[in-house]
Amino acid sequence: MKITSMFSNHTVFSFEIFPPKKTSPIETVYDTLEALQDLKPDFISVTFGAGGSGNGENTLAIARRLKERYGVTPMAHLPCIHYTKDQIDRILEQFRENGIENILALRGDRVEGMQPAEDFIHASELIAYIRDKGGFDIAAACYPECHPEAPNLDTDIRYLKEKVDAGANHLITQLFFDNDTFYDFRYRTARAGINVPIEAGIMPVTNRKQIERMVTMCGASLPRKFTKMVQRFEDSPEALRDAGIAYAIDQIVDLITDGVDGIHLYTMNNPYVARKISEAVSGILKAVPVC
Ligand code: FAD
C-alpha cells in the first residue's frame, strides 16, 4: 500500500527500525519484528547505511519480511551520497521486484574516509530520479531545528520545498523534544507553500548514553523539563526509562490533540518501549475525528 494514501482518513502512527550491523546475522532482528508488528503500526520504516556498509541488503530483506510474513506496509530508507546512479538503479530494481513501493529518499551523511559518489549531491536529485522511474511513493526528511549544515531554517525550508516539488509526497521530521519547535516549523513550511503531510519524529529517550549520542548527532535542543528529568533519574536506569517513555507519551498526546498528520516513533529496536507508548496512545489515536 502506498503510504501517502493513509493520511486521508486518520492520524498515521508508524515505527522506525534499523537492521543489525553487518557483523550480526539478520535473524537477530526477527524477534523485534515479531513484537513490533503485533502493535499494528500503519507502516514500519527500515534504515539504510549511507556508506554502503552492506546493511542495505538487510534493509531490503527486513522490508520484505515485514510485508510478506506480517502484511505490514514497509518503507525502505535510501541514502544516495555514496552511491552511483548504477548502484541506485540496481537497488530500485530490487525494491520493485520485491514489492517495496515506499521509499524515504535521503542524501545521507558523509562517511569518514569515503568519497561521495557525486551522482546525487542533494536528496532532491534522488527524489526526482525515483519519481521519473515511476511506481514508488516517496517521502523525505525534514528538520524542525534546521539541518546542521544549513545556514538558517528559512534556507533549509527553501530546499525542503525543492524536495516536495521534486516528488516527495510526505515528510518525516528529525527528532525533537520541544513541541513548540515543531509547531513553529509547521507554520513556516505551510507559509513556504509546503502542503504534504508531515509526520512528527518522536524518540523516546531511555538511557543517558543515548541522549548524549542524539544531541551530538542531530543537535536537538533540550528543554529544561527534559534535562531536569535526565539529571534526576540518571543513576536509576529503570526510572529514567519510565520517565523517558512518559515524556514521549506526553509529547505525542499534545501533538495528536493539535492535529498532527502522523507520529513516527524511533523505536531504537526496543519493543518494550514501543509497546508502552502504543498502548498509552492507541485510544487517543482512535478518538481523532476522521476528516
Ligand atoms: P538534503 O535534503 O539533501 O539536505 C542536506 C543539506 O543540504 C541541508 O543542509 C539542506 O539545507 C542542504 N541542501 C539541500 N538541497 C540543497 C541545494 N539544492 N543546494 C544547496 N544546499 C542544499 N541517514 C542514513 O544514512 N540512513 C538512514 O536510513 C537515515 N534515515 C533518516 C530518517 C529520518 C526521518 C531523518 C530525519 C534522517 C535520516 N537520516 C538517515 C539522516 C540523513 O541522511 C542526514 O540528516 C543527512 O545529513 C541529510 O539528508 P537529507 O536527505 O535531509 O539531505
Side-chain angles (χ1 to χ4, degrees):
M1 180 178 191
K2 299 233 164 107
I3 288 169
T4 307
S5 66
M6 295 177 182
F7 291 93
S8 62
N9 60 4
H10 70 294
T11 309
V12 168
F13 188 60
S14 59
F15 292 161
E16 179 169 313
I17 57 168
F18 51 83
K21 289 210 171 78
K22 207 180 171 185
T23 45
S24 305
I26 188 165
E27 290 78 12
T28 54
V29 81
Y30 285 179
D31 285 350
T32 304
L33 299 187
E34 176 83 35
L36 289 176
Q37 63 82 29
D38 197 39
L39 303 175
K40 309 260 174 291
D42 285 300
F43 69 90
I44 298 183
S45 82
V46 191
T47 67
F48 191 126
S53 59
N55 82 352
E57 286 148 34
N58 284 346
T59 301
L60 173 62
I62 292 169
R64 205 178 64 200
R65 190 173 176 91
L66 286 169
K67 184 179 158 81
E68 289 175 1
R69 193 173 175 100
Y70 302 117
V72 173
T73 300
M75 169 187 271
H77 296 207
L78 180 56
C80 58
I81 187 165
H82 290 296
Y83 290 98
T84 61
K85 253 187 194 144
D86 284 350
Q87 287 172 314
I88 292 289
D89 281 344
R90 267 199 300 280
I91 296 169
L92 291 176
E93 215 32 64
Q94 285 173 335
F95 285 173
R96 204 188 292 282
E97 280 164 11
N98 288 282
I100 310 302
E101 51 185 358
N102 298 289
I103 299 178
L104 178 60
L106 299 150
R107 184 199 70 182
D109 284 321
R110 290 180 188 88
V111 175
E112 233 182 89
M114 270 185 93
Q115 276 304 315
E118 292 187 351
D119 278 0
F120 302 96
I121 309 292
H122 304 294
S124 51
E125 291 158 36
L126 176 66
I127 292 166
Y129 191 72
I130 300 173
R131 178 204 60 205
D132 290 347
K133 296 253 168 206
F136 291 107
D137 195 38
I138 310 166
C142 62
Y143 303 84
E145 296 190 72
C146 190
H147 184 269
E149 294 165 34
N152 55 57
L153 189 54
D154 281 339
T155 310
D156 204 27
I157 289 176
R158 201 150 32 83
Y159 292 132
L160 181 61
K161 175 82 165 60
E162 284 184 10
K163 295 204 274 192
V164 173
D165 291 344
N169 296 318
H170 138 227
L171 302 173
I172 304 182
T173 75
Q174 180 60 282
L175 62 95
F176 58 89
F177 298 109
D178 179 353
N179 286 0
D180 284 342
T181 314
F182 175 79
Y183 298 137
D184 178 56
F185 176 72
R186 205 174 44 178
Y187 171 76
R188 290 165 79 149
T189 50
R191 206 178 48 184
I194 294 171
N195 51 20
V196 296
I198 304 179
E199 269 197 281
I202 297 296
M203 164 141 339
V205 168
T206 54
N207 68 66
R208 202 189 160 89
K209 247 195 179 152
Q210 185 194 357
I211 298 159
E212 284 159 3
R213 205 174 49 236
M214 283 307 129
V215 175
T216 323
M217 264 174 60
C218 69
S221 54
L222 305 178
R224 207 174 103 73
K225 183 176 159 187
F226 183 90
T227 48
K228 236 168 57 179
M229 173 188 87
V230 175
Q231 279 161 8
R232 180 74 181 83
F233 301 117
E234 63 185 335
D235 295 326
S236 172
E238 273 191 23
L240 183 57
R241 181 197 64 196
D242 290 350
I245 291 171
Y247 192 95
I249 292 169
D250 190 42
Q251 268 194 288
I252 294 170
V253 171
D254 181 62
L255 287 161
I256 296 172
T257 306
D258 200 80
V260 73
D261 296 312
I263 301 289
H264 188 67
L265 196 65
Y266 294 104
T267 70
M268 303 303 288
N269 290 15
N270 186 329
Y272 173 85
V273 172
R275 177 171 292 282
K276 288 282 174 197
I277 294 173
S278 301
E279 285 172 356
V281 303
S282 67
I284 300 157
L285 280 167
K286 281 192 203 116
V288 176
V290 175
C291 312

